[in-house]
Amino acid sequence: MRVVSLVPSLTEAVALSAPGVLVGATDWCTHPAGLGVTRIGGTKNPGIERIAALAPDLVIANEEENRAPDLAALRAAGIEVLVTGIRDVPGAFREVDRVLTACGTGSRPRWLDEAERTWSALRPSDRRTTAVVPVWRRPWMLLGRDTFAGDVLARLGVDHLYATHEDRYPRVPLEELRAAAPDVVVLPDEPYRFTPDDGPEAFPGRPCALLSGRHLTWYGPSLTEAPDVLGAALRAVRR
């Protein structure tokens, strides 16, 4: 089996669960460390010819991270493409299981069972916190409806204020974000890399939680520790 992954979190999942099947991955596939496969470009601009030259049996993609024209070009080249769609935590487990099965794993990996048990054991928080969750700057974009990261936060007691917006990633003027008066501003370090010096200054007087984007937005082995990592960062600003 020869697999190319266009999704960083699924690259990690496949690399750890089906060693040896990955032959290509994007430049953004940073986990696991030291992954020795051919790099085929970015998630939004993969090299179609480079992928075809690897003669993969399967290319793994995602409806949100990858562009439809690129996937169509791969199919036109005679390459099978598996497209995932993940908008909540239960859906992540189902789709990761589907991907790993397609990659020829003989059994369900232990980390996936552990992650599912961890999330299933979470109990609804008695204390709810409102938030806005920017994911980009210049222009400001944030979590809207039906997002995996939004569901992750909701399960940790955080209700983001644009969860019912008609767009999944609306562009909202900074003045409007400030006027929304959330309990906390959640600033992940990807896709935009918010840092202590880049982001919080836009929301003076408002608590800001700087979160690991890998734990907030990736659906792979990081799911096993995400509740603890994210929960600790959120509690630190909700006190």
Side-chain angles (χ1 to χ4, degrees):
M1 188 72 175
R2 295 173 62 81
V3 176
V4 171
S5 174
L6 304 182
V7 187
S9 55
L10 294 177
T11 296
E12 182 180 20
V14 173
L16 294 180
S17 307
V21 307
L22 273 179
V23 295
T26 75
D27 300 340
W28 299 104
C29 294
T30 57
H31 290 73
L35 180 66
V37 298
T38 299
R39 301 295 174 162
I40 52 76
T43 57
K44 306 296 185 187
N45 58 344
I48 305 302
E49 292 183 1
R50 257 183 290 174
I51 294 172
L54 292 172
D57 300 298
L58 181 68
V59 171
I60 301 166
N62 176 263
E63 64 175 3
E64 183 175 301
E65 295 198 48
N66 309 118
R67 301 186 315 127
D70 294 325
L71 305 185
L74 289 169
R75 292 191 177 100
I79 299 170
E80 181 179 354
V81 180
L82 186 160
V83 181
T84 56
I86 300 172
R87 301 194 177 194
D88 56 29
V89 173
F93 294 127
R94 290 193 300 270
E95 290 289 74
V96 170
D97 197 21
R98 182 166 73 100
V99 166
L100 296 181
T101 298
C103 291
T105 54
S107 58
R108 188 178 167 97
R110 183 178 301 175
W111 69 261
L112 188 55
D113 287 334
E114 180 184 346
E116 194 157 15
R117 284 194 300 269
T118 298
W119 283 96
S120 296
L122 283 181
R123 294 293 174 260
S125 174
D126 293 332
R127 181 185 177 188
R128 307 300 299 181
T129 300
T130 61
V132 293
V133 190
V135 295
W136 201 256
R137 184 171 188 170
R138 306 180 191 95
W140 288 92
M141 298 176 64
L142 59 153
L143 294 186
R145 63 172 178 84
D146 298 333
T147 64
F148 170 75
D151 188 53
V152 166
L153 291 171
R155 292 169 186 271
L156 296 174
V158 178
D159 300 315
H160 71 94
L161 296 178
Y162 289 82
T164 59
H165 195 281
E166 62 181 355
D167 297 327
R168 295 187 67 209
Y169 297 96
R171 297 185 180 191
V172 181
L174 179 59
E175 295 75 14
E176 181 178 326
L177 296 183
R178 291 170 173 166
D183 296 326
V184 63
V185 178
V186 171
L187 299 171
D189 62 10
E190 62 174 83
Y192 185 91
R193 187 172 181 79
F194 288 106
T195 69
D197 299 319
D198 185 354
E201 82 290 343
F203 302 92
R206 189 68 52 185
C208 292
L210 292 161
L211 299 189
S212 160
R214 178 168 172 260
H215 291 96
L216 180 62
T217 65
W218 286 36
Y219 27 84
S222 58
L223 280 169
T224 59
E225 59 187 17
D228 287 341
V229 172
L230 298 175
L234 291 167
R235 286 192 297 274
V237 299
R238 286 192 290 188
R239 291 173 180 171

